[in-house]
Amino acid sequence: MEKLDRQILSLLARDGRMSYTDIGKATGLSTSAAQQRVRKLEQRGVITGYRAMIAGDALGLMLTAFIEVKPFFAEQPDDTPELLSDIEQIVSCYSVAGEANYLLKVQVGSAAELEELLAVIRSKGRVSTHTTVVLSTPYEDRPVV
């Protein structure tokens, strides 16, 4: 990947709403050239979308936790993501290597809500869990470019 494309990606990772004019100024490109570069990055699947980052605590979701899940029995079908897909408190589901099969990132309002959620995950997913509660987040979702 060209250095210029990486520079554009870095700019957009920091501010996904940056205008083509501002991208052009930061990279030495014209507005139309910046627009073309961004469109090509989108078409190639390098840029997969744009989204609003929402503060969970502003919605009353004061507690974030990571939950490792693994099936009770090794011969169980590997359908955990499908079984848990309708639980809105699960914000991310990662397939992982190691002791667990999946790592879930969840956001809830309180420890009591986390306890209730764990019961739902265990029952619906037919899994055992191991939970780590987040105390603070010094940084998150840093750009990879």
Side-chain angles (χ1 to χ4, degrees), residues 3 28 33 40 43-44 50 53 85 102-103 123-125 128:
K3 183 178 179 181
K40 285 181 183 176
Q43 290 167 350
R44 288 179 22 215
Y50 303 88
M53 303 295 290
S85 66
Y102 294 94
L103 180 65
S123 173
K124 259 187 137 170
S128 64

Side-chain angles (χ1 to χ4, degrees), residues 47-142:
I47 297 174
T48 59
Y50 303 88
R51 64 186 178 116
M53 303 295 290
I54 300 167
D57 56 348
L59 302 175
L61 304 173
M62 306 305 288
L63 195 146
T64 299
F66 289 93
I67 304 170
E68 296 178 14
V69 299
K70 60 182 175 181
F72 288 123
F73 305 104
E75 60 274 359
Q76 281 180 226
D78 188 12
D79 58 355
T80 302
E82 293 82 14
L83 294 172
L84 303 178
S85 66
D86 65 332
I87 301 174
E88 64 184 31
Q89 295 95 330
I90 300 174
V91 296
S92 298
C93 175
Y94 305 97
S95 175
V96 296
E99 290 291 315
N101 291 44
Y102 294 94
L103 180 65
L104 310 176
K105 179 180 176 183
V106 303
Q107 289 186 298
V108 294
S110 66
E113 287 180 29
L114 177 59
E115 188 172 20
E116 291 172 18
L117 177 60
L118 287 168
V120 170
I121 289 170
R122 289 178 188 131
S123 173
K124 259 187 137 170
R126 301 181 313 268
V127 294
S128 64
T129 62
H130 180 267
T131 304
T132 302
V133 174
V134 174
L135 299 177
S136 69
T137 307
Y139 49 84
E140 183 176 44
D141 294 329
R142 292 172 15 161

